[in-house]
Amino acid sequence: MKWNLRLAAANRGIWKASELQRMLAEAGLRISAGKMSGLWSGSPASVKLSDLDVICAVVGCGVEELLIAEPAETAGGRQEAAVSSRPSGQAGPPVTPKRRDGRSLPPA
């Protein structure tokens, strides 16, 4: 997912994080400078759903404008959708669990 608060705010004439922070405070949502920096820069560690509701109301947008789905990047460099395209009746290669400490599992 891509966080898109800065563009959504700019589309509505809000150009500074401090301006949005003040507007959010007026709506009852007090955000620290560090959290606001994360929200504004596009890399928030987490966002509460209740906070997201207030942000959407203040900015005047929907959640779909703030959170944009992006295809997942795989190790091979290809992009894949987050949902598997394999039919539910077909099984993939068998999954073999491995221990994290490097030791082998007991025989089955």
Side-chain angles (χ1 to χ4, degrees), residues 28-87:
L29 177 61
R30 304 234 185 269
I31 297 181
S32 68
K35 177 103 176 179
M36 191 67 211
S37 175
L39 290 171
W40 193 255
S41 69
S43 58
S46 64
V47 179
K48 292 181 183 177
L49 292 177
S50 58
D51 294 352
L52 188 62
D53 191 32
V54 174
I55 292 169
C56 287
V58 167
V59 175
C61 66
V63 176
E64 69 280 354
E65 194 172 346
L66 294 179
L67 294 170
I68 299 175
E70 291 184 326
E73 187 75 27
T74 63
R78 298 187 334 249
Q79 289 186 348
E80 294 181 2
V83 179
S84 175
S85 61
R86 186 182 317 155

Side-chain angles (χ1 to χ4, degrees), residues 99 103-108:
R99 293 178 53 141
R103 297 178 62 188
S104 64
L105 294 173

